[in-house]
Amino acid sequence: MQELIVVTGASTGMGAATARELAGRGFHVLAGVRKDKDADAIRADGIEPVILDITDPDQIAALAARVEGDPRAVRAVVNNAGIAVNAPVESLSMHDWRWQFEVNLFGHIAVTQALLPALLRSKGRVVNISSVGGKIAMATYGAYAGTKFALEAVSDALRRELAPLGVQVVVIEPGGVQTEMAGRGIATANRLVTGMTREQHERYGDLVQAITAQATAFTKAGLPAGDAAKVIAKAVTVRNPRTRYTIGRDAAVLSRLPRILPDRVLDRILAANLRPHYPAKR
């Protein structure tokens, strides 16, 4: 029988591309979106949109009920939903810190918990979309990278818990990918700058501008979302998946640097790469 796959955060970017890639391979995809207009945009043969805010317990329960009421086996859940909130540790409000973790970590855990009974029955797969930021944390990425480091740790624990039960857990670590989320993250960073105090702006204003310029260039040079979707689909479908897949050459390189370089050396390399993006001094 045709198998089910749940993809969260399927409105745009990698999530939408992954839903289409998996539907094209013959799966029935339950594509999590937050708005009716996004549901209309993603609906297609093999793609059934479901309204899903992964921070909303009622919507998660409705998704679980939808899955439980379907006779088809659940091949995988792809935890893809996420946001990027980048700002210096000092200036980011505790509300924004908590919201970043609510979406990028706790929401994934909640969805996974709700769908695990079905995954255990089908011996399915959990695919968590992390980031190169789950291996290396650049300046102003404390909150975002913190959620991804945590997701990596939770994935390791979950993999070791579920392996004896026949459920596999895979982590995906994208680098630069051309997605709407990257653009929204840059816009959010620009908005947060305006909320800094004068002293914070003096300390971090140039840094945030440099990071934003670097992120823009990084995203522009990144892979198309469709290419990233093929890697995710491989993680879902290959018989014996690796525990981790990187997406893009940049991710492959950056994810290895913390393992082979001393912290101070890595600090200098990151600072040197950022330097050309600083605003010119008048």
Side-chain angles (χ1 to χ4, degrees):
M1 295 179 67
Q2 187 184 41
E3 294 175 297
L4 297 178
I5 295 177
V6 174
V7 179
T8 70
S11 299
T12 60
M14 286 193 300
T18 298
R20 294 185 179 106
E21 178 70 24
L22 290 168
R25 298 187 184 205
F27 295 100
H28 185 82
V29 180
L30 298 178
V33 299
R34 295 181 62 197
K35 300 176 182 177
D36 290 334
K37 67 176 184 178
D38 295 327
D40 293 337
I42 194 69
R43 185 178 285 108
D45 289 343
I47 300 178
E48 176 188 338
V50 293
I51 298 299
L52 179 65
D53 178 339
I54 65 171
T55 68
D56 186 323
D58 292 336
Q59 292 183 7
I60 293 173
L63 170 65
R66 167 67 185 83
V67 169
E68 289 293 329
D70 198 303
R72 292 170 288 193
V74 181
R75 178 62 169 266
V77 55
V78 180
N79 286 311
N80 170 75
I83 59 172
V85 180
N86 297 337
V89 172
E90 178 188 357
S91 64
L92 188 64
S93 73
M94 290 309 302
H95 169 79
D96 286 325
W97 273 95
R98 291 188 177 98
W99 185 242
Q100 179 84 97
F101 274 81
E102 194 66 41
V103 176
N104 285 10
L105 180 65
F106 302 136
H108 297 323
I109 294 171
V111 170
T112 301
Q113 287 180 338
L115 297 181
L116 263 178
L119 289 166
L120 287 165
R121 286 196 301 270
S122 64
K123 298 191 183 302
R125 194 167 297 179
V126 178
V127 178
N128 287 331
I129 310 301
S130 178
S131 166
V132 66
K135 295 295 188 183
I136 186 169
M138 296 183 291
T140 78
Y141 282 79
Y144 178 78
T147 65
K148 296 303 186 179
F149 269 71
L151 184 62
E152 298 261 352
V154 170
S155 298
D156 284 343
L158 188 66
R159 185 180 69 251
R160 291 157 186 156
E161 293 164 3
L162 297 181
L165 305 176
V167 175
Q168 296 170 310
V169 178
V170 181
V171 174
I172 306 294
E173 297 166 344
V177 178
Q178 298 169 14
T179 67
E180 289 83 350
M181 191 189 84
R184 289 194 297 269
I186 291 169
T188 299
N190 290 331
R191 175 181 58 81
L192 291 172
V193 168
T194 65
M196 289 183 184
T197 65
R198 181 174 59 81
E199 291 79 7
Q200 289 172 348
H201 200 278
E202 289 174 355
R203 285 194 283 273
Y204 307 117
D206 287 352
L207 170 64
V208 172
Q209 287 187 53
I211 287 287
T212 300
Q214 185 185 53
T216 300
F218 189 63
T219 301
K220 186 176 181 180
L223 292 174
D227 290 354
K230 289 181 171 61
V231 178
I232 297 170
K234 178 179 180 180
V236 169
T237 59
V238 69
R239 182 180 179 84
N240 294 306
R242 302 202 301 263
T243 58
R244 282 174 169 79
Y245 291 84
T246 56
I247 295 179
R249 185 177 299 175
D250 54 348
V253 172
L254 288 171
S255 64
R256 287 169 173 77
L257 290 182
R259 302 204 302 264
I260 62 177
L261 294 177
D263 289 343
R264 299 298 186 191
V265 173
L266 185 54
D267 289 349
R268 288 194 292 270
I269 290 173
L270 293 177
N273 285 336
L274 184 59
R275 198 169 296 123
H277 298 281
Y278 272 83
K281 295 295 183 182
R282 293 179 182 177

